[in-house]
Amino acid sequence: MRDQWNSRIGFILASIGSAVGLGNIWRFPTVTAENGGGAFLFVYLIVVLIIGVPVMIIELTLGRKSQTNVVSTFDTLTNHPFWSKIGFIGLISALVVLSFYAVIAGWVILYFFFALVGRLSLTSANDLLVFFDTMIAHPYLSTLGLIIFLTFTLLIVMTGVSKGIERFSKFSMPSVIILLIILFARTITLEGSFEGLIWFLSPRLEDVTLSVALNAIGQVFFSFSLGMGILLTYGSYLAKDTNIPSNSLIISISDVLVAILAGAIVIPALFAFNLELETGPGLIFVTIPAVFNTLPLGSLWTSVFFLLLAFAALTSSVSFLEVLTAYTVDKFKQPRKNATILATFSVFILGLPSALAAGPLDFFTVRGMNFLDLVDTFSSTVLLPLSGLLIVLFTGWVWGNKTAIKEIQQGAPAFNEENLIASLWSILVKYLIPLAILYIFITGFLAG
Ligand code: PFF
């Protein structure tokens, strides 16, 4: 018998913990700024509804049905030589994404320390940008951040699923949200910020392009932790009477709200401080301290913020590592401890070039992107949508929609023909989602 979640709330919190992280607070505002503000938000919300929520339901359902890790799930459900192997893409994505995620999270930890010792009390946004650029170019600092972050992740995962992850999620999430609300209240009273809020919230349809749509899909997958077998693995620890659709809704809504809250802070701040829309990965590392520095005890606020953000990143990274560990335990029959260490070490090796990307490896660029940006863009616009596409096609056409619906109905009796979403389900899963991903994937990619 596999380990099971101790409580419903434990599962929800851990899943929200996995979903809410750097993807919402660091990545969402950055991608939104680069992709037209409200135009991006508009497409993002549509993608959430027609792709994000259904794919989340599918992943949890597949996991609960097969009761195993992401790779074996497909093996258990089919013997087809191709379809039984698609879980590998999820596994590889988890490895690749965690490798750069841990680098960013490492910067967050370093920022906690720098704020604590008062190094971020600079008043001009430009000075803060220079500080950030100098820090990430420093090879030892970036690597140190990576090591510290991975060590924490390792320690948490080693203590086991229900104990480690549930306990951790319970206190970190609410605290992050409280701090974000305070930040929002401050930002919105800064001069010039209101214009930014309008730019963020108004859906200018004329600015929607295929590349905006592709980025929106990538962001939804990234933010919802989809396509990497994470929710699949979490689903495998679920009891049969859990209501998967309603839980998926709760997780999705929470995730979207945090992203919008972060956007409503960072984008108006970007306007207030006259930063460029293309500031890139440093955006929150500049705007957040800049906003806090307008308050008394700014450095203290900044350090608490980055500490909490590091916690939010940890509840996400433990979920990545959980996928890799669950696979290693089941596949190589390794004790959990060895499996976790092995997985962490692989992530570290893969993460090194990202840690060095803005320093010694800055000569390496493709289309203007350094190694880290490249891995980030490649995973969210190629690996994750591809993995999602295969998972959806598998469910609609190979495993079979009828079987899927039967499994979803366990714990969710209302998921039947009288329910609008359930009656649209087959069309969504068999046609609409795969075609939408495929179309945007190919055309958006060709359009560069
Ligand atoms: N969803 C997390 C975030 O938005 O920060 C990141 C993430 C965690 C992505 C786990 C993927 C994943 F498997």
Side-chain angles (χ1 to χ4, degrees):
M1 181 69 194
R2 282 167 82 75
D3 218 356
Q4 274 203 354
W5 298 102
N6 287 339
S7 58
R8 174 183 138 99
I9 189 75
F11 158 68
I12 297 232
L13 284 177
S15 306
I16 295 180
S18 164
V20 175
L22 297 175
N24 309 60
I25 296 167
W26 163 74
R27 201 172 189 282
F28 177 80
T30 310
V31 179
T32 306
E34 288 169 350
N35 283 278
F40 180 82
L41 180 63
F42 177 76
V43 185
Y44 172 82
L45 291 175
I46 294 180
V47 174
V48 162
L49 272 184
I50 63 170
I51 301 181
V53 179
V55 175
M56 184 180 290
I57 294 177
I58 289 179
E59 281 207 21
L60 288 172
T61 306
L62 284 170
R64 184 175 70 179
K65 176 73 193 173
S66 67
Q67 294 278 306
T68 178
N69 66 67
V70 55
V71 172
S72 320
T73 290
F74 300 94
D75 243 349
T76 338
L77 302 177
T78 178
N79 332 330
H80 189 282
F82 172 74
W83 293 104
S84 62
K85 301 282 178 297
I86 60 173
F88 271 110
I89 301 187
L91 188 73
I92 291 170
S93 314
L95 187 69
V96 174
V97 174
L98 181 56
S99 76
F100 80 85
Y101 197 83
V103 173
I104 316 271
W107 298 344
V108 171
I109 293 183
L110 295 175
Y111 255 50
F112 159 67
F113 287 114
F114 282 129
L116 206 60
V117 297
R119 292 291 299 277
L120 300 178
S121 54
L122 307 161
T123 44
S124 107
N126 254 336
D127 291 348
L128 283 163
L129 190 56
V130 172
F131 183 90
F132 173 77
D133 285 339
T134 316
M135 182 192 83
I136 63 169
H138 197 298
Y140 296 131
L141 273 179
S142 253
T143 311
L144 179 71
L146 174 67
I147 292 176
I148 299 178
F149 183 76
L150 282 181
T151 309
F152 277 117
T153 309
L154 174 76
L155 291 177
I156 296 171
V157 173
M158 238 155 44
T159 62
V161 157
S162 33
K163 279 179 274 136
I165 302 179
E166 282 185 38
R167 209 181 303 145
F168 204 70
S169 309
K170 278 183 189 153
F171 82 101
S172 59
M173 268 306 115
S175 340
V176 177
I177 293 172
I178 292 172
L179 220 65
L180 284 175
I181 293 175
I182 297 176
L183 262 174
F184 175 67
R186 176 62 193 119
T187 309
I188 214 60
T189 50
L190 291 174
E191 205 187 315
S193 64
F194 196 68
E195 204 188 320
L197 191 65
I198 303 285
W199 186 75
F200 173 54
L201 294 179
S202 46
R204 282 170 313 280
L205 300 190
E206 66 278 13
D207 291 346
V208 175
T209 61
L210 280 166
S211 133
V212 168
L214 181 61
N215 279 307
I217 292 192
Q219 177 61 23
V220 170
F221 272 93
F222 192 96
S223 192
F224 280 22
S225 307
L226 298 175
M228 279 165 272
I230 292 202
L231 293 176
L232 216 149
T233 305
Y234 276 15
S236 75
Y237 303 116
L238 273 182
K240 285 286 179 201
D241 61 358
T242 313
N243 186 328
I244 292 184
S246 75
N247 281 312
S248 302
L249 267 183
I250 297 175
I251 301 167
S252 313
I253 292 174
S254 320
D255 189 69
V256 169
L257 287 181
V258 178
I260 292 185
L261 186 56
I265 296 164
V266 176
I267 305 236
L270 179 152
F271 275 63
F273 295 111
N274 280 321
L275 290 163
E276 309 224 340
L277 293 175
E278 305 280 331
T279 300
L283 189 52
I284 67 155
F285 294 93
V286 176
T287 47
I288 303 284
V291 172
F292 277 135
N293 285 343
T294 64
L295 289 173
L297 299 179
S299 295
L300 190 66
W301 285 102
T302 307
S303 63
V304 173
F305 177 86
F306 281 103
L307 182 66
L308 290 174
L309 185 56
F311 281 136
L314 264 180
T315 51
S316 299
S317 64
V318 291
S319 67
F320 284 107
L321 197 57
E322 180 55 36
V323 171
L324 302 174
T325 303
Y327 172 72
T328 318
V329 169
D330 289 350
K331 172 83 183 180
F332 300 108
K333 308 274 170 283
Q334 285 292 317
R336 199 178 158 85
K337 196 170 151 200
N338 295 359
T340 318
I341 295 176
L342 190 70
T344 311
F345 189 70
S346 325
V347 173
F348 171 68
I349 296 296
L350 206 64
L352 264 181
S354 288
L356 304 176
L361 294 185
D362 66 354
F363 60 89
F364 176 87
T365 57
V366 176
R367 289 193 187 179
M369 291 183 274
N370 69 21
F371 188 83
L372 189 153
D373 298 338
L374 196 67
V375 178
D376 179 358
T377 307
F378 177 73
S379 30
S380 58
T381 53
V382 178
L383 279 181
L384 302 185
L386 182 65
S387 167
L389 176 67
L390 292 176
I391 291 175
V392 175
L393 284 176
F394 171 81
T395 306
W397 297 93
V398 183
W399 189 41
N401 235 338
K402 286 219 169 65
T403 336
I405 291 177
K406 238 199 236 140
E407 179 66 32
I408 299 173
Q409 274 171 347
Q410 293 200 37
F415 195 84
N416 57 36
E417 290 73 26
E418 281 134 51
N419 178 312
L420 181 67
I421 301 190
S423 53
L424 290 177
W425 179 260
S426 300
I427 304 176
L428 264 179
V429 173
K430 288 179 94 158
Y431 306 102
L432 197 67
I433 302 179
L435 286 175
I437 299 182
L438 209 60
Y439 175 70
I440 297 176
F441 195 38
I442 295 176
T443 44
F445 208 64
L446 290 181

